[in-house]
Amino acid sequence: MTYESVIGLEVHAQMLTKSKLFCSCSATFQADPNDHACPICMGMPGVLPVLNEQVIEFAIRTGLAMQGTIAETCRFARKNYFYPDLPKGFQTSQYDEPLVQGGGLTIEVDGESKFIRLTRIHMEEDAGKSIHGENLADPTKSYVDHNRCGVPLLEIVSEPDLRSAEEAKVYLQKLKTLLEYLGVCDGNMEEGSLRCDANVSLRPLGTET
């Protein structure tokens, strides 16, 4: 029996804003550990987050460029999970009411064009960074750097329309180029500015389920 792959991609792009999603802490990459952290991005009781206007602008800019529908209203939601580098115990994200729905990106592989649909584009905050003894005094201990907590992300979620690794590669390359052209993300994968989660399954060739 011959099988084909069914691939959907979730791309996280750090936005090129000077400050974080809900506070005025710097969102730049290079800094001493925990130097860019405050009570708001640490989730302390009684704080009052304020939404970064430029994040909305960048999300809308990307949605329009990818032929998405911009919602008149949208809502943030809590994604609850425990991890040491998530000080609030939840990630502020969007799910059922995102800012951008639908749209897609046309790619060309082996001389054929294909439209890769999007489920949604939504805004969310990044988590911190766990450091497991690398380049530190005690390799048996783990450390947490909260500088990345609250840095604004765009999550670009595709439908499972990709059928090969080559299609996925071309899609990501074109998406990276688009985000850089829009001035939304610098695409620096070495610094974690652009990251991708792949959802891959197999099915008998010719089936639709």
Side-chain angles (χ1 to χ4, degrees):
M1 183 177 290
T2 303
Y3 291 86
E4 68 175 353
S5 56
V6 180
I7 304 170
L9 300 179
E10 300 174 12
V11 175
H12 292 83
Q14 283 189 0
M15 288 185 253
L16 280 174
T17 58
K18 293 182 178 179
S19 58
K20 294 185 179 181
L21 182 56
F22 293 113
C23 68
S24 60
C25 285
S26 173
T28 57
F29 176 73
Q30 294 290 355
D32 291 333
N34 298 308
D35 194 41
H36 295 168
C38 74
I40 294 177
C41 52
M42 294 291 289
M44 299 297 181
V47 297
L48 184 61
V50 177
L51 183 59
N52 186 333
E53 182 179 356
Q54 193 175 39
V55 172
I56 303 291
E57 177 190 335
F58 281 176
I60 292 175
R61 186 185 301 179
T62 305
L64 292 175
M66 300 189 74
Q67 308 175 49
T69 300
I70 311 301
E72 293 187 5
T73 61
C74 65
R75 181 175 65 171
F76 282 100
R78 291 186 178 189
K79 186 163 69 173
N80 295 282
Y81 63 94
F82 173 79
Y83 205 72
D85 61 18
L86 194 68
K88 292 187 293 188
F90 64 86
Q91 183 183 29
T92 306
S93 182
Q94 294 187 306
Y95 180 66
D96 57 336
E97 296 182 53
L99 181 61
V100 183
Q101 292 182 316
L105 195 63
T106 300
I107 63 172
E108 185 170 315
V109 178
D110 296 330
E112 294 187 4
S113 295
K114 183 175 183 179
F115 186 71
I116 308 302
R117 297 171 298 155
L118 296 184
T119 305
R120 62 182 181 274
I121 301 174
H122 67 260
M123 304 169 289
E124 66 180 16
E125 60 180 351
D126 211 341
K129 181 179 180 181
S130 295
I131 304 170
H132 303 295
E134 300 99 331
N135 303 317
L136 295 171
D138 191 342
T140 66
K141 294 183 179 180
S142 292
Y143 304 83
V144 178
D145 181 0
H146 289 105
N147 282 343
R148 203 171 64 183
C149 287
V151 170
L153 296 176
L154 272 184
E155 182 167 355
I156 303 166
V157 184
S158 81
E159 291 288 321
D161 289 347
L162 299 157
R163 292 293 175 267
S164 68
E166 181 64 21
E167 287 186 0
K169 174 186 173 183
V170 172
Y171 170 83
L172 289 172
Q173 288 174 332
K174 187 167 184 179
L175 179 58
K176 179 177 182 291
T177 300
L178 176 64
L179 293 173
E180 291 172 351
Y181 176 80
L182 295 172
V184 169
C185 176
D186 62 15
N188 192 325
M189 300 177 70
E190 290 77 15
E191 295 181 0
S193 298
L194 193 66
R195 313 191 293 268
C196 176
D197 297 328
N199 302 297
V200 183
S201 61
L202 295 175
R203 69 184 182 188
L205 185 64
T207 61
E208 295 296 329
T209 57

